[in-house]
Amino acid sequence: MQSRILYSKARPFRMLLAGYLFFILAGTILLSLPIATKAEVPASLMDIFFTTVSAVTTSGLVVLDTPEYFSVFGQMVILVLIQICGLGYMVFVSFIILAIGRKITMGNTMLLKENVASPTYGDAFHFMKIAVIFTLIFEAVAAVVFFFAFRTVYPGIEAGYHAVFQAVSAFCTAGFTSLPGSFMGFADNKGLLFFAALVSICGGIGFFVLYDMYSY
């Protein structure tokens, strides 16, 4: 009986690990495709793997210059990995399931509970909704502010793309950038740099703290 209890408790952790390994494998394969790069000499598989792991874990470690090496497709793959795994992939998956009107299975509920470190299932679903709402609000506001700053240097569509990429990367504290030279071209814009740092701090302190501040 005790072994069964231990097995049932360990299973969600194994499935969470399998999920992250899946994203790492899928990201590595996609970033290895010729369409994902714009460099004539392909990077080593280890560099691609390292980039994928860094995006999935939002560690901020980069061995390849993202805007210099990766094409728009490759950058979008990185952006999706940052967004899904930075939010918590079970939070993202559960939100999509609810959005399309499907029911979440008990197995998915257990994974969600472990993914958000919530003591109860009800708290897990409530926290999931709050996490998604907070993420969308912060990233939307950040994207608008970044857009008005970037459009002084880049044309409208390109400025919008960079704004969205930087908003997601900043809030998820991922350390990736789509801007050539990162923010070095905006070193004199103190307001932009302060705002980018503020967005990163809000994302870094986590949803629990943000929600407690909101509730208070």
Side-chain angles (χ1 to χ4, degrees):
M1 178 64 70
Q2 185 176 3
S3 61
R4 290 183 178 179
I5 295 176
L6 293 175
Y7 175 79
S8 62
K9 290 183 177 180
R11 186 177 179 183
F13 291 102
R14 292 201 302 269
M15 295 189 68
L16 280 175
L17 176 60
Y20 281 105
L21 291 177
F22 166 78
F23 281 108
I24 291 174
L25 177 61
T28 302
I29 293 174
L30 291 175
L31 292 180
S32 299
L33 299 176
I35 192 177
T37 67
K38 53 185 179 181
E40 296 181 359
V41 180
S44 66
L45 182 61
M46 179 55 69
D47 287 341
I48 297 295
F49 173 76
F50 187 94
T51 300
T52 305
V53 173
S54 182
V56 169
T57 59
T58 63
S59 66
L61 301 175
V62 179
V63 293
L64 296 171
D65 190 329
T66 305
E68 188 70 24
Y69 181 82
F70 291 103
S71 65
V72 174
F73 174 82
Q75 294 176 31
M76 291 303 296
V77 171
I78 293 174
L79 184 64
V80 170
L81 291 175
I82 291 172
Q83 182 69 93
I84 293 178
C85 297
L87 180 62
Y89 81 88
M90 274 311 303
V91 174
F92 183 83
V93 170
S94 298
F95 181 78
I96 294 298
I97 293 175
L98 290 176
I100 62 178
R102 301 290 296 276
K103 293 183 178 180
I104 298 179
T105 64
M106 180 58 68
N108 288 335
T109 303
M110 293 177 63
L111 287 177
L112 176 63
K113 175 178 173 294
E114 297 297 340
N115 200 208
V116 301
S118 177
T120 66
Y121 297 136
D123 289 343
F125 283 109
H126 179 67
F127 177 74
M128 175 200 70
K129 296 177 182 178
I130 295 298
V132 172
I133 292 173
F134 268 69
T135 298
L136 294 178
I137 292 175
F138 273 91
E139 291 180 353
V141 172
V144 171
V145 174
F146 287 148
F147 172 76
F148 283 107
F150 296 160
R151 73 172 183 172
T152 60
V153 179
Y154 301 99
I157 296 178
E158 188 175 357
Y161 168 73
H162 290 311
V164 172
F165 193 104
Q166 294 307 135
V168 174
S169 181
F171 188 70
C172 295
T173 62
F176 284 84
T177 180
S178 61
L179 296 168
S182 189
F183 277 84
M184 294 178 62
F186 301 89
D188 295 331
N189 193 334
K190 307 302 181 184
L192 175 64
L193 298 181
F194 175 80
F195 179 78
L198 181 63
V199 173
S200 297
I201 292 173
C202 290
I205 62 178
F207 298 112
F208 283 114
V209 177
L210 290 175
Y211 181 65
D212 285 343
M213 294 173 61
Y214 167 77
S215 300
Y216 179 76

